[in-house]
Every structure is written in C-alpha cells, then in structure tokens.
Amino acid sequence: MSGIVTQEGVAAWLRAFAEAVAKNREYLTELDAAIGDADHGSNMDRGMQAVVGRIDGPSAGTAGGGVGALLKLVGMTLVSTVGGAAGPLYGTFFLQVGKAAGEATELTLAQWAAALEAGVKGVQMRGKAVLEDKTMVDTLMPAAQALSAAAASGAGLAEALRQAAAAAEQGMKATIPLIARKGRASYLGERSAGHQDPGATSSWLLLQTAAETLAAGAPAEVPGA
Amino acid sequence: MSGIVTQEGVAAWLRAFAEAVAKNREYLTELDAAIGDADHGSNMDRGMQAVVGRIDGPSAGTAGGGVGALLKLVGMTLVSTVGGAAGPLYGTFFLQVGKAAGEATELTLAQWAAALEAGVKGVQMRGKAVLEDKTMVDTLMPAAQALSAAAASGAGLAEALRQAAAAAEQGMKATIPLIARKGRASYLGERSAGHQDPGATSSWLLLQTAAETLAAGAPAEVPGA
Amino acid sequence: MKKLINRPEDAVAEALMGVAAAHADRVRVHIGPNYIVRADAPVRGKVAIVSGGGSGHEPMHGGFVGMGMLDAACPGEVFTSPTPDQMLAASQAVDGGAGVLHIVKNYTGDVMNFEMAAELAQDEGMEVEQVVIDDDVAVKDSLYTAGRRGVGATVLAEKICGAAAELRRPLAEVAGLCRKVNANARSMGVALTSCTVPMAGRPTFALGDDEIELGVGIHGEPGRERRKLASAHDIVEALATAVVDDLPFGPGDKVLAFVNGMGGTPLLELYVVYGELHELLEGRGISITRNLIGSYITSLDMAGCSITLLRLDDELTALWDAPVSTTGLRWGV
Amino acid sequence: MKKLINRPEDAVAEALMGVAAAHADRVRVHIGPNYIVRADAPVRGKVAIVSGGGSGHEPMHGGFVGMGMLDAACPGEVFTSPTPDQMLAASQAVDGGAGVLHIVKNYTGDVMNFEMAAELAQDEGMEVEQVVIDDDVAVKDSLYTAGRRGVGATVLAEKICGAAAELRRPLAEVAGLCRKVNANARSMGVALTSCTVPMAGRPTFALGDDEIELGVGIHGEPGRERRKLASAHDIVEALATAVVDDLPFGPGDKVLAFVNGMGGTPLLELYVVYGELHELLEGRGISITRNLIGSYITSLDMAGCSITLLRLDDELTALWDAPVSTTGLRWGV
Ligand SMILES: Nc1ncnc2c1ncn2[C@@H]1O[C@H](COP(=O)(O)OP(=O)(O)O)[C@@H](O)[C@H]1O
Ligand SMILES: Nc1ncnc2c1ncn2[C@@H]1O[C@H](COP(=O)(O)OP(=O)(O)O)[C@@H](O)[C@H]1O
Ligand SMILES: [Mg+2]
Ligand SMILES: [Mg+2]
Ligand SMILES: [Mg+2]
Ligand SMILES: [Mg+2]
C-alpha cells in the first residue's frame, strides 16, 4: 500500500487550507471585486476560521465518528458561517465527501478519490454549473478526475495528489478567458472574460494544500513504485 | 423748489434698481454664501423681475392712485415672490414708504424723506434689528437720516439723494467688521466678522440707483442754490 | 451635481406635481400660490394646523398633511421660506371656523413671513395663533440673536397638535400644547457630508474626507464644531449629551427618542445610532417610552442624522399614540 | 468612507440590536443565528412567510416583519446571503402549522442557501414552499445564466402574500399568489453614485461626475449601460420604457407604480420621478391605480432609484389594500 488518508491528515489539510485562505484573503477578494462583489476572500476566511475553531476547539475530538463525521462538521460549519454562493457550495462539497468517506478513520486512495468525486457531484447538484461555466467546478472536476485516474493507474497517494493539484491549477487558469454563465459574474456577460474566477482560485488552494498535507502521515514513497 | 419726486421718477428708480440687482446677482449671492445661505442675489432678482413685470406689464398704469399705490404694489409683489428674510423686509419697506407717500403723484423732498424714514421704521418693526446688528438697517437708517438732514438744511433733491447714497455706502462698509446679531449670519457668531452683509449691499444699490434716477425728471439744480 | 431632476428652478414645482399625481385621494395641491391641503379640508369645527418652510426637508411638511396632523403645508423654494400669500391662502382653504394654528420653525425668514401672513389673516377676520419652534441646542439661545433654530421638534409638535385638533380641542389649548412640546424638546444634528442645493449646483459647505460638522443645521448652517470623523458611539455621545444637558433631561424622565436621517443616510446606520442612544440614555436613567426612527426632517441629500428628545407625560404620550394618516407618518388607521 | 457605524464588521449586528431596542413591542430579534420574527409568532393556523437576504437593503426585509406582511426576516452580512441555519431557525420559530413560504430573491447565493434551508426544514417535517423573485429587466433572462435578479417586486410580493396569509389562505394559494406577483411585475434601476460596503471601505464601482449606471443592481452590480447624466425626464423614459416593453404592459392595464429610492436619494427627487412616470404611463394608456413612493429596497447609501410596475387585478388590489402593520409599511391599523 502506497499511502492512506488518515483523520489526522485530513485535519492537517483543513488547517493548511484555512491558513492559505487567510494568506490569500485579499487576493481572493480582489478577484471577486473584478467580476463579483468583493467578498469571496472574507467569506471563505470567516468560514475556515470557524472550521479551525471547531476542529481544534475544546469540544473537538470528543465527537468521534471518523473522517466522515469530521468532514460533515466542516460542511455544516461552512454552511452556517459563509453565506453567499460559496457557503452552500463548499458546505455541500464537504458534506458529500464526508458522507462518502463514512465512519472509517483511514481511507485508501481509491476510497478518497471516490469521496472527492461525490463532493464534486454535490457541488454540481447544488449549483447546477457544468464545466466552462467559469466556477469552482472548473477546478474541482478535473482535479477529482485526475485523482481517480491516478488511483486507477496505481499511483501512490502523494503522486496522485500532486496530479490532482496540477489538474486543479490548469482548470483554474482555464477560467480566465471564459464568459461566466453562473453566479454573480454572469451579470457581466462578455465583460467577465479575461478574469480568473475567485471560487476556482480558492478551490485550487484546497487541492494544493491537499497535496502538501494529506500524504504527510503516509510512508515515504519510492518514486516510480 | 429744487426738485420733486414724481411717479415717473419712482418707476425709473425701480427699473434701475432691478437692473442693478440683476447685474449684481452673483455678487450678492457670493456675499450671502460667505455668511448666509447663498440665495440673496437670486431672491432679490426674482422679486425685482416680478416688480418690473408688474409696473411695466399690460395692467400697469390702470391702477392709478399715485406714488403710494405704485409702491404698495411693489411691496406686495416683493412679499409674495421673494420669501426668506429679504421678502418681508423689503416688502414692508416699500409698503410703508407707499403708505406714507399716500395718493400724491408728486412729493417734495421733505415728504419723500419722511416716507423713507417710515420705510426704515417698518423694516425695524418687522425685523427688530438695530444699528450694528449687521443687516440692511445699517445701510437704510443712516441713508434716511442723511436725506432728512439734507432736506432740513434746504438741500436740493439731487444733492440730498447724493448725500443719502454716500451715507448708505458708508453704512454698508461699516457692516464688514461687525458680528451679526440678526438673521442667518448670526449662527456664525464671531465667524461672521470680516464679511460685508449682503442685505446691506442690496440696500446700498437701492440708494445708489435712487441718486441716479429719482431727480432726473426734476429741473436742473444750480449747485449751492 | 447629480440629482433626479430636470431644471433646478423647476424641481420644487415638479415634485409638487408628483405629489398631486400620487396622492389625489388624500391631499389637494394648489399651484400659484403653492400649498398642499388635506383632501377633506376644511374640517368643520376643528382647529386647522398650518405649517410650512423652505423645500428640501421632505417628507416635512407636505408629507405630514392629513388626518391627525397638518391641514395644510406651504412649501417655499429649496431652503427659502414660503411667502405670506401662500400661508394666507392655505389658511383660508383649511379654516373650519375654529381658528388656525401656524407652526413656525425659528428662522428669521420663516418667522417674518408667517407674521405677515397672520396679520393679513387677522385683517380678514380669521383667528390665528402662531407658535415658533426652536429646539436646536447647537445654537446658543439669546435675546440678541436670531435664537435657536427649529428642527426635529417640529415633526413631533405637528403630530401632537394634529391629534389634539382632531379631538376638537380649542385653539388656545392646541397652541398651548405646541408650546409645551417645544419647551420639552431638544435636538442636535451632525453632518457627514454637505447637502447640494439644486440652484447652487455645488455642495453648500466643504467638509474633508475625515471631517464631520457637529451641530449642523438643516440648511447646512454651521454647527458647534468641526471634528474628525468618529465612531457612531462617540458621535451619539456628543449629540445626546448636548441634548440631555440642555433641558436638562434627568433620571426618571420618560422620553420620545427621535433619530432622524438627513436624507443621504441609510436606515441601517440610523438603527446603529438608535442602539447607541438607547444605551446612553439607559445609563442616565432616562427611559425611552416612544421612538421614531427614519428620515423625516431632511436636508436634501446630506448624510448625517439628528437626535431629538421630547420629555413625555401621559397627555403627550396619548396624543402621540393617536391615529394619524399622512404619507409620511401613519398609524392607527 | 463616512458612515454612522462603529467597526464595519459589527454594523449589521449593532443595527439589529438597535431594532431590538426600538421595536420590542412588534418584533423579537434573535442573535446567533440572526433573525427577526413578529412578536406574536407563531400565529396558529396561518401560513408563515419568511424572507431574507443580505443586509444593506433596509427597510427590506426586517422592516417588513409584522401583521399583514412577513412573519420572519433573515438578515445576512451586508450584501451576503444569510445561511440555511438562520432560515431554518426562523421558519421553526414562526411555523403556525399551516406551512411556511420562503420568498427568495434570485441571486445564486440566496437561492442555494434557501434551498438548503428548505431541505433541512422538510427533513424535520415542516411544509415549505419557495418562490423565487426575478423582476429586474436590466439582466437578460436565460436558462443558461443566473437569470434575472430579484428587486422591487419582492416588496410587493411580501405585502400581498402577507395579506393573503392573514386571510388564512392555504400555502399553495399563497405561493401561487407570489408567483403571480412575480409574473406580473418588472423593474429597473439607475445609480447616480455607487454604494460603499462598510467592510470594503470604498465605493463598489467608479462612476464619473457626469455618469450614471442604467440598470444597476441593488448590490451595485453593473447594469445595461453607462450613460451621461441626464434629466429626470430622460432617465424615467429609459427605465420605464424598458420595464413596460418587457412584460409588456399595454393600454388599459391598471398598475401599481413603485418608485423606490436607493438609499441616498431624497424624497423630493422621487416625487419628480413619479411625476414623470405618471405622465409617461398616461401617454401609453396605462393607468396607475396604486402607488408606493419611498426608499424601501435600498442599496446602502447609493443615490438613484428604481421603478417597479405590477399589473393589478381586483384580487391583487384588494390584497395590497389590506391592513399591514410593520415599521416599514403600515396602513389600515
Ligand atoms: N452555480 C454555481 N456553481 C458553482 N460555483 C458557483 C456557482 N455560482 C457561483 N459559484 C462560485 O462561487 C464564487 C463566488 O463566491 P462568493 O463570492 O463567496 O459568493 P457570492 O457570489 O454570493 O458573493 C464564484 O467565483 C464561483 O466560483
Ligand atoms: N432681522 C433682520 N432685520 C433686518 N435685516 C435682516 C434681518 N435678518 C436678515 N436681514 C437681512 O436679510 C439679508 C439676507 O436676506 P436673504 O438672503 O434674501 O434671506 P435669508 O437669510 O432668509 O436667506 C441679510 O443680509 C440681512 O441684511
Ligand atoms: Mg462574492
Ligand atoms: Mg440668504
Ligand atoms: Mg434663504
Ligand atoms: Mg456576496
């Protein structure tokens, strides 16, 4: 076995994502100012601060229930603190990943990839966006697909997460020329082209921090193994 | 007799005053902007345009009734078109001058001076301002007194009007250092000092145009006669 | 200057035409001379209440014409007192035989024009009483100046006197109530930005990006002090302290608290102000038993607010609660 | 940025505290999650009506809680949709056993959060219907985008559905009425200046001294066209023509005309706008049988206005006329 996703790894990932959001708060808000309403950075930061407060707070750990319970707590927290479009979307994402992850405290790469795919489906069910609508779906969907493909091809966890992050980055950048068809940016019509989507950008941070943290607890991989 | 005030002379005076106000409209408003609410020029202009419209309008002249009736018409017109502080004050001034002038179509200098004094009393009755409150009274009162004094000393009409205008000018300039105690400028307290009072300035135009027009119909005077 | 108007000189008249078109069921608008009267005027046997002043303070006064408040309002040009012929014609139109009360804000122009109107009305045999409102503590009261300005208390006086008139109280009593409201009310305002008079085309006064004018008048008259921009907490403290200390209001007093927007300030901020005021008064043992929050006596597009406190007793409270039906203030009917 | 607030991040919560302090007789304010409910909630046997959205549009929605209108309002952060837990808790607090109607303005965030709230409520056995309002003709309607925004019609729908609920009409019927209002209403707005979001600290968009944004959204979203500043006549023509032609409204139609201020525009100007609108509609054979003029769905301190037309029939007219008792809208009681 070339690496498993553990509950501690997931917690580390969430902390790293929160930190990345905090660091990129102004940047995300600036991207949103160009084609939205200049709040994506503060929305996500408010939400992820609340998430960290809960998973590291006094009542943390007492809940038990494995990776699934942890991620459902994250989803509920985002739903109730973020608001706007990002709240239900990221909230649904984590709720669905958590549901798919179930009560296990450790997941194989294949299980983890399937859980992510479920999360992306949740986002699409909630927001009805398809690829190239210039949303976070443009980042999340290719990333989840890359993860599944890597798992199917027998790649190790760290390598698979790297491939997912690379796909995420590509998807994020691909939003730049697009004309938005969903969310607030769609009011701009053609004037939305030429700007990178803020939600696609925060989603890239999500995948990037996953690559940096999720495989950390796993045994070192032999390249090419 | 060294000159009488005729109904035609009074009409010419009113036209000249209207013209002077129109020409100084921005100036009066600027003075009012400094210590009031920037409307004295437009208030007086609106009123005097209406006055000219009435005394030269289609129904003009049919009224009859001499100088008194003419000036009462002026007073009523100002009262109903100017508003603010200047409306009742100038309105009362002309109403009282008209009342004192009575039904005559010609007035001697002494009669005219007495009429003006009645006008000033009207202004004071209405506005309760005394000398040095930094108002139009500072122009009107010394002017009327100068006119009476000249009449008593046997001066001719033209000379008396010149002396009244000179007193008016002096009174107007004397408002500059004063701290306003009446009207809108009084809210400024000490900050009103250093500015010439707008109402005192329009009153100077009134006396100045009187000197230029009221004696015009009268026989030329022999200086010193 | 950015305004939803056509020619500046037509703004007041066109707004009046809008009022006429909108509210024919409740008011009649007369143009030349300009005045607004309630549709059922004159009301037989009822004291008629007439007010007026320069335009630019809407909904005051035109928006307060109706059952339980004003019988007539006389709008002047923007920030310019109306003329006596307006007040005379309006008074004649609403006189129901029980006399007419003129509620006058204390500005030299308003006072003199209303005075002339009263003289003319009395000449015609009308019974007229006038009460001058002067509640603005930003201006020092003195016999030797124009005195305090009339601001927020005007709205309260019009409501309370209107209720008394509906109860068919006689003229002397209604006028007495008006004086009582004035005696028990104090106000002060603050500007965050200047207003812009349409005819002038530019802001009346210049205020730095980080400055406020404490004690501003509703025509943009200067106040007590120009200050650095401060928190709602500090601004309310400055306004409320000046108001409370002037009357003074003391522990055990019951008050009506009126937080008024100047025209350009949104309701969200007025509620922040009200929250601060509530806390401050509670700390001083003064209890708010009635309140009014909104933009009722405005200064065109000025951003800012004013605070008015009125000390209440049972009589004033009952009259405040009585039904009123105007476009600006309405309850109980 | 000049605002009567303390820390920007506290503005919404402090305004809610102000509402709580001011109107304890008519509403209860709950903090964490934030919502406002009428003081007598739940009303047994009555359909409960819940709305909500970002703050900054006051008096909408909190000012419309009360008899004859909303049972609950859920305020989000400024211009940010509230969260499902607010809507769920509010719905639970007002459910009188006859079901709950959620009136939702069509913005992606609002729609999704209300959807999640409905799912949660239904999980708990509550009967919930949702109607999405999308009346802003400035945005092209399309299946492939977020669709038209919800603006002025929201206020009218809340009033009319509230009246139907008071008459104990069943949930399906009240929801149907809401859809009927939405189907018969169209709006468009104009900005003369940008709004400034407290947390952002500077204007949302830049507009030249001689420019206006035609078709602006209530969050400062871009409109159809940036234009040179124009007369009230021309601006009303642009707005009203777009609105009339969209439904379209035609000769013989009876309409409710709603002239709404964006927060920084004084009433005087709204009446000038109303006068122009009245004339334009008359010229097209459309008669205004009801009207509403004032700042009811605002965009913080934005200067500007919006025009909403609602085609009326006897049913809608009667429900509009029915008594309502909220701090923002009140008559008949
Ligand atoms: N229907 C949708 N489906 C997926 N993602 C969406 C959708 N609508 C908006 N988004 C994402 O949400 C982001 C905006 O989030 P945020 O600014 O927090 O919310 P809001 O738009 O309500 O202010 C967009 O950049 C986009 O990626
Ligand atoms: N009580 C008063 N008595 C005499 N003159 C006065 C009085 N109050 C004001 N004025 C005069 O009126 C002038 C202002 O007139 P105007 O600007 O037209 O009216 P308002 O002050 O109402 O805007 C002042 O400059 C002053 O000369
Ligand atoms: Mg956003
Ligand atoms: Mg002036
Ligand atoms: Mg003036
Ligand atoms: Mg947002």
Side-chain angles (χ1 to χ4, degrees), chain A residues 2 109 147 149-161 163 221 225:
Chain A
S2 57
L109 169 56
L147 201 67
S153 76
L157 177 59
E159 173 56 22
L161 289 169
Q163 287 179 20
E221 287 169 41

Side-chain angles (χ1 to χ4, degrees), chain A residues 32 37 39-40 43 84-85 184, chain D residues 78-81:
Chain A
D32 196 27
D37 59 352
D39 61 359
H40 188 59
N43 287 348
R184 214 171 276 279
Chain D
V78 171
F79 291 179
T80 298
S81 161

Side-chain angles (χ1 to χ4, degrees), chain A residues 32 37 39-40 43 84-86 89 123 127 129 135-137 182-184 197-200, chain D residues 108-109:
Chain A
D32 196 27
D37 59 352
D39 61 359
H40 188 59
N43 287 348
L89 290 168
V123 169
T135 70
M136 59 178 68
V137 169
K182 282 283 180 286
R184 214 171 276 279
D197 180 64
Chain D
T108 303

Side-chain angles (χ1 to χ4, degrees), chain A residues 179-194:
Chain A
I179 293 172
R181 284 186 302 230
K182 282 283 180 286
R184 214 171 276 279
S186 71
Y187 303 137
L188 281 170
E190 308 197 338
R191 281 177 287 170
S192 63

Side-chain angles (χ1 to χ4, degrees), chain C residues 3-6 14, chain D residues 230-237 269 272-273 276:
Chain C
K3 292 189 186 289
L4 290 165
I5 58 173
N6 296 305
E14 291 185 0
Chain D
S231 66
H233 177 88
D234 291 354
I235 289 175
V236 170
E237 190 166 64
E269 298 177 36
V272 172
V273 166
E276 294 288 354

